[in-house]
Amino acid sequence: MSRIANMPVAVRAPEVSSDGDVRLGAIDIGSNSLHMIISHVGADGGTTVLWRMREMLGLGRGSFPSHRLSGEGMDRAVLSLRRFHAVARRRGCEKIIAIATSAVREADNGGDFIERVRSEVGLNVRVVSARDEARLIYLGVRHAVNLKAGGHLIMDIGGGSMEFIVGDDQHASLLESRKVGSARMTARYIHSDPAAPAEVERLARHLNREIAPVCDQILQLRPIKAIGTSGTIENLVAMCGGRGKAPELALDDLKALVDRLLKSKAGQRVKIRGLDEKRQDQILAGAILLLEVMKRLSIKRLSLCRAALREGMLLDYVARHLPDLEIQRKVADPRRRSVLDLARRCEWHERHSMHVAALTLRLLDKLRSLHKLDAQSRELIEYGALLHDIGWHISSSSHHKHSMYLVLNGNLQGFTQDEVRVIASIARYHRKSLPSESHAEYAAMKPSDRGIVRVGGALLRMADGLDRSHCLVVSDLDVRIGRGRVQVGLVGKGDMQLELWAARRKTDLFVDVFDRAILFRVGRRAG
């Protein structure tokens, strides 16, 4: 597993794949370490890990006895998260999800840390419950290991807690967590180097009290195999010589390792092959914990699975957001994806909005000799047309104003503040009052942006009228520019009288912008 050096990461242009794939990042803010994976998401929702990154920070090292994250620990974590975030963006991640576990969950100032990450990194961190942490670990292991043969015991030793899961390929019958993580137990019981026998004895008694009830539940479920995940168990497997494609840990080897660790100082342990040097002070507690569990459950051999919480995070996200990911896969332009994502979140009238946007662009393109707007302006007008009716998500009354509010506050990605204001204003002026300097957003615009809004609003008002029935009866427009007037012939099928009536009632802004009359008529019939 690769590690990032403690050095600044230059932000370059995203490495977006040419085949239109979707990449997601998952960051796990654990008690011992920060982990990130970047994965490709296939059309079927399957994930493939492309990159892994890790930094050992020990965020929870001092928090378990005090229930407070140290200022130094938070500083280190924020700096690392900033690096992780930059690397994920550079790797072309469409979405970066982040969760925090026991150290942040239990700290009195955990909320302060989350706010710092949000404001300084731009990353929203979700704190998961102990049970949900176990559920995500189960999803990650289930994706990587064939559990069809029956119930499997899955164990994960973190810095703050240990998760116990029993499940097969369909569901988990047990999801439990105990506050016996290696960093927590070290902080509470191990104060000597090497550990004093009395300290080890107190630790063992505490572990037995904590794990006995859950071990009894596990024995009743009769799992057929034991699987271990994550850093502490991975280190223990490696220290006992378990390597290769299917690494395992034997109970006898673990007993021998514990005996060796009990006699050694932290500085001597780093010489043991397979141990991460930043775990040297807490590996003993983790080893004793795993040994107690394996003895109590009569586990002779434990298999290592390298997929766990982070993989589970991605699988859980994909399962809940497949429609969003489908848009990302089909639409190459991230700005357009962001617009469509906002539209979908607001439960838009898709067929009507897409049709109105197409009619708006048809008018815009045919009238280019009059307005002379460029391609970038065309793009903003199209997006305003696509979003013109999303205000119905709030209320039908004054929905044009609601549309403006939703666009302004919809977190559109890839747009400047001025561009968002233009899109919002075009949506706002598709009905009712005309653009006016008495309207705050319009008054704040520079003259060139006002021009885009006026042209876009004028054409959108009429295009919206041309689909008054929402039946898409007008399929095309014949536009002819003459002296002092513009003639528009409606091309379509069926009765277009309602569309003709509605369009004629919405020409006010067009006449004001272009200083020309506009005449609509039913033209040729399509097909």
Side-chain angles (χ1 to χ4, degrees), residues 36-243:
M36 180 174 73
I37 60 172
I38 297 174
S39 292
H40 164 265
V41 181
D44 60 351
T47 62
T48 303
V49 176
L50 303 176
W51 293 280
R52 294 180 182 271
M53 304 171 70
R54 180 190 69 183
E55 282 197 11
M56 294 290 295
L57 294 179
L59 182 62
R61 193 161 297 169
S63 70
F64 292 121
S66 66
H67 292 285
R68 288 190 65 81
L69 302 173
S70 69
E72 181 185 355
M74 288 195 289
D75 289 343
R76 290 197 307 268
V78 169
L79 181 62
S80 295
L81 286 169
R82 189 180 291 124
R83 276 198 299 274
F84 278 32
H85 189 266
V87 170
R89 289 300 185 198
R90 194 173 71 235
R91 295 292 190 184
C93 283
E94 300 287 344
K95 175 74 176 178
I96 306 168
I97 54 178
I99 68 168
T101 54
S102 56
V104 177
R105 182 169 64 227
E106 298 174 27
D108 294 337
N109 59 345
D112 296 332
F113 172 71
I114 291 170
E115 282 299 307
R116 278 196 61 184
V117 175
R118 183 189 61 79
S119 62
E120 297 179 31
V121 182
L123 192 63
N124 292 315
V125 177
R126 179 169 66 96
V127 178
V128 294
S129 67
R131 181 178 175 82
D132 205 34
E133 185 177 351
R135 181 185 68 86
L136 294 174
I137 292 168
Y138 163 68
L139 292 179
V141 174
R142 186 180 70 176
H143 182 70
V145 178
N146 184 353
L147 305 180
K148 288 184 179 179
H152 288 60
L153 168 62
I154 302 165
M155 297 180 290
D156 184 300
I157 300 176
S161 61
M162 180 175 183
E163 279 63 52
F164 299 86
I165 303 111
V166 177
D168 56 21
D169 64 324
Q170 297 298 317
H171 73 285
S173 52
L174 181 141
L175 294 168
E176 291 289 340
S177 179
R178 294 294 182 270
K179 295 181 179 181
V180 291
S182 55
R184 187 194 300 271
M185 293 299 94
T186 300
R188 183 170 178 178
Y189 290 104
I190 307 298
H191 307 296
S192 305
D193 190 23
E199 294 173 342
V200 175
E201 179 62 28
R202 286 195 295 271
L203 170 61
R205 285 200 302 267
H206 176 79
L207 293 177
N208 272 313
R209 287 194 302 269
E210 289 294 315
I211 67 175
V214 70
C215 285
D216 290 342
Q217 295 179 58
I218 292 168
L219 289 172
Q220 292 177 14
L221 294 171
R222 298 181 180 180
I224 62 173
K225 187 176 180 180
I227 299 170
T229 70
S230 296
T232 296
I233 293 181
E234 186 174 348
N235 268 215
L236 291 172
V237 171
M239 293 166 75
C240 289
R243 296 178 180 85

Side-chain angles (χ1 to χ4, degrees), residues 277-380:
E277 63 177 303
K278 293 190 177 180
R279 295 184 190 272
Q280 61 186 5
D281 60 340
Q282 55 187 272
I283 195 64
L284 173 61
I288 293 174
L289 170 59
L290 185 59
L291 179 60
E292 292 295 327
V293 172
M294 290 181 69
K295 287 194 300 184
R296 185 172 285 273
L297 296 175
S298 300
I299 298 170
K300 301 298 183 184
R301 193 167 292 274
L302 174 125
S303 299
L304 177 67
C305 175
R306 291 193 169 90
L309 181 61
R310 285 141 327 259
E311 289 78 5
M313 291 166 58
L314 287 179
L315 292 165
D316 184 60
Y317 181 87
V318 169
R320 291 184 289 109
H321 295 85
L322 271 176
D324 301 318
L325 296 173
E326 189 62 22
I327 283 184
Q328 293 174 9
R329 185 173 293 105
K330 290 180 178 179
V331 182
D333 182 2
R335 283 161 56 106
R336 181 177 294 273
R337 277 202 301 270
S338 185
V339 168
L340 295 178
D341 176 62
L342 174 59
R344 288 185 61 260
R345 283 187 278 130
C346 295
E347 299 175 345
W348 67 328
H349 305 165
E350 181 176 357
R351 292 177 72 246
H352 168 68
S353 299
M354 295 286 279
H355 190 63
V356 167
L359 293 175
T360 302
L361 292 183
R362 180 66 167 165
L363 288 169
L364 185 71
D365 293 342
K366 287 293 186 178
L367 297 171
R368 190 171 185 277
S369 62
L370 299 181
H371 59 69
K372 297 181 173 59
L373 294 178
D374 59 14
Q376 185 176 357
S377 302
R378 184 184 190 274
E379 179 192 25
L380 300 180

